[in-house]
Structure formats: structure tokens, C-alpha cells
Amino acid sequence: MIHMRSNAMRWFRYSISLILAVGVLAVLMGRQRWGDLTGQVDWRWLIGAGVLSAGYWFIRVARWRWMIAMEGLRIGWGGAWVSMLAGLGVGLITPVRSGEIVRPMFLPKGPKARLVGWVVIERMFDLSAVLTLGILGLFYMLFSGLLLTADVSVPPWVLVIAPLLLACTLGAPLLMHYKPEGLWRILARVLPGKAKQLADARLTWRQFGIFYTVSVLAESLSLLSVFLCLSSCGEISLITATCLAPVIAIGSLLPAGPGGFGIREGSAALVFGAFGFPQQMILAAYLSNTLIILVIPAAIGVAAAWISDVTKTSSQTVA
């Protein structure tokens, strides 16, 4: 009964966040004059964004295979792609894509509890990469004078809280490296059942470097794909796009909508609008980017998992 009530509350929260995201997008899109963009979209930029999206997911899948290998499992590229993108499909209906922790459920039998722990660590590194790029963008805008060209100011607390958030997201992986005895004794008592295996893993400095480097590289490709989508709808410089886009990414970390939908587009329209860019250009670019780098890969992953019946074959062990 308690488990059913917990599931009901979780899905209730997901439904509310979905309704909020749809509402925000409906309001934003309903105010635009889409006719101004008719015939102006340059599809060549969108094709380039698709190529970057493929590169983005390739390096993330490569890291996922490496994570699986750390737990003694061997899986081919096909299985890794399916589990990665199917997990993305689940993650898109949850705030901050937290649902991606189900990714190991699309794998053969193995230490799934420990793999869930590694996915959590991976997400922490991804968030830290977003914050790193966002902080660089904020300080570049501040010290280059770029903010002087816009009707916007960066509150001092933003410049303080962003590095603190970065320290927090990197703090969890650092705890996995140092493993303070007192904290780990508490975790051993608190974590139920198989979840105690999560406290057994130790993150080496080499693993720390691989996680963080791949996250920064992947998020950089994601930002470049945003630039290409923006360029497909209008004129914008690479510097402006790569400074502002990570700031938008920080805003989309707010757990208010599934996968950041609505929050991301609303923040983009607000921030880029302060620099004089038309809202219809920004919304069209961000919706295109979301479709290219998130929605289409997620749909492919879910369809592939369903076609291959991967959830029923997950009890088989891969050699």
C-alpha cells in the first residue's frame, strides 16, 4: 500500500510538471508571429546540428560501455545504444532527466544496483559540466562588456551561487573517491538491501577525469548544436551563442518540468530577448534543437527497445 501510494504521488508530480511545461510552451508559442520565419529557415544548419547530435550520443554511449565494463559486463555497441537511448526516453518525462537511472534495466542480468549508482554519478558530472560552461559564459559576459549591449544585469548572487552549485555537483564524486569512514558507516546502515552496493564503489582519479572530460566534451557539442539551430533561424555570432546557451542550460536544471521542457524555452526567450533577438527565432531554434538532440534519439531508443523486446531478454547474461 505504501509503495502504491509512493508511485501515485510520483506520477502525480510528473503529471503536474508536464502540465506546467505544456502550459508554458503553449503561452510562448501562441504569442509568436511564425509567418516571419516562413521560408527563412536554412536546413543546412539543422543537418549540421544533427551530425553534432550523433557525435554527442556516440561519446556518451562509449562512456556508458566503459561504465558497464567497470562492473565486469561486456555488451556490444547495439545493446549499449538501445539501453542508453531507451533510458533517455524514460528520462524525458522526469524533471532534470532523473528517470535515466532506469538505463541499467535495459541491460542483461548483472550488478544493476551498482550501475544505477554509476548513472547517478554520471548525471552529477553532466550537471557539473553544464555549470562549468555556464560559469565561464557568465564571467565572459561580465568582463568582456557583452552585458553592456543588453537590457539585462547579472545579480551578484548568481555569480556566487553558480560556483557553489558546481562545488556541490563535484562534491558527490569526490566523496566516492575519498569515502570518509564515518559517512560510509551511516550509508551502510541507511541504504536498504542491494542499494548498499552503491557504497562499495570507489571512484579513482582516472575515472574522475574520464567522467568529467567526457561530460564537458559532450555538453560542448550540445552547445554547438544550439548555435547551429540558432543560425538556421537568423544571424547570431558564435561567441554570443556559446556564452548565453550554457546560462540557459543552468536554468533548465530547475526541477519544474519534464526534461527541462518549457523552462528551457522560456529562459532562452527571456535571456536572448534581452540581447535583442526575436522570440520566434529563439523558440524555433530551441524547439528544433530539443527535437534533434533529445526527442528523436529518445524515440529511436524506446522503439528499438520495444522491437528487440530487450526488457524480456534482460535476464540473459552477455558473455
Side-chain angles (χ1 to χ4, degrees):
M1 180 65 71
I2 295 177
H3 180 67
M4 292 178 60
R5 185 178 303 170
S6 176
N7 283 338
M9 286 300 298
R10 182 171 65 253
W11 283 107
F12 175 75
R13 292 194 300 269
Y14 291 168
S15 300
I16 293 299
S17 67
L18 178 61
I19 292 172
L20 176 63
V22 171
V24 171
L25 287 174
V27 171
L28 288 172
M29 296 180 68
R31 294 177 176 177
Q32 309 310 313
R33 297 166 54 188
W34 296 109
D36 294 344
L37 281 178
T38 303
Q40 296 183 10
V41 176
D42 190 337
W43 294 96
R44 292 173 297 180
W45 292 102
L46 296 181
I47 293 173
V51 173
L52 287 180
S53 174
Y56 170 85
W57 286 112
F58 175 81
I59 62 175
R60 290 205 61 191
V61 170
R63 182 175 61 182
W64 175 227
R65 290 189 72 206
W66 170 72
M67 292 161 60
I68 296 170
M70 287 195 298
E71 293 300 330
L73 290 177
R74 295 292 184 271
I75 188 169
W77 281 97
W81 274 98
V82 170
S83 60
M84 185 77 182
L85 297 184
L88 170 68
V90 177
L92 286 186
I93 67 172
T94 59
V96 203
R97 286 167 48 189
S98 56
E100 281 196 47
I101 62 172
V102 305
R103 194 191 310 162
M105 301 302 106
F106 295 96
L107 292 174
K109 186 177 180 181
K112 294 183 179 180
R114 288 170 63 94
L115 280 173
V116 168
W118 286 118
V119 174
V120 172
I121 294 297
E122 178 197 50
R123 292 297 297 148
M124 295 297 289
F125 276 108
D126 289 343
L127 296 181
S128 68
V130 170
L131 287 166
T132 299
L133 296 173
I135 291 169
L136 292 175
L138 281 172
F139 279 93
Y140 178 83
M141 287 190 296
L142 181 65
F143 293 109
S144 68
L146 188 61
L147 288 175
L148 298 178
T149 64
D151 185 22
V152 65
S153 61
V154 178
W157 64 266
V158 173
L159 300 178
V160 173
I161 198 171
L164 290 178
L165 289 173
L166 176 60
C168 290
T169 55
L170 289 177
L174 286 174
L175 287 176
M176 291 290 290
H177 172 74
Y178 288 108
K179 299 186 69 172
E181 293 184 4
L183 175 61
W184 250 244
R185 282 197 299 268
I186 295 174
L187 289 177
R189 296 172 185 170
V190 174
L191 293 175
K194 293 183 178 180
K196 293 181 180 180
Q197 298 177 46
L198 301 181
D200 294 335
R202 178 181 289 275
L203 192 68
T204 66
W205 283 120
R206 176 178 175 272
Q207 293 167 342
F208 189 100
I210 291 174
F211 270 116
Y212 187 67
T213 300
V214 172
S215 290
V216 171
L217 178 59
E219 294 305 325
S220 297
L221 290 178
S222 177
L223 294 181
L224 287 175
S225 73
V226 171
F227 164 69
L228 294 183
C229 289
L230 287 167
S231 297
S232 72
C233 299
E235 294 290 334
I236 188 171
S237 70
L238 178 61
I239 288 293
T240 301
T242 52
C243 284
L244 296 181
V247 177
I248 309 305
I250 292 178
S252 67
L253 298 180
L254 295 174
F261 292 112
I263 302 299
R264 176 175 48 249
E265 288 76 15
S267 300
L270 180 64
V271 173
F272 280 93
F275 285 81
F277 294 98
Q279 281 195 352
Q280 62 266 24
M281 168 191 169
I282 303 306
L283 288 176
Y286 265 84
L287 289 172
S288 298
N289 182 255
T290 300
L291 185 68
I292 291 171
I293 206 166
L294 292 177
V295 176
I296 292 178
I300 293 173
V302 172
W306 180 73
I307 292 173
S308 61
D309 216 5
V310 70
T311 54
K312 289 186 178 181
T313 59
S314 63
S315 60
Q316 300 176 0
T317 301
V318 175

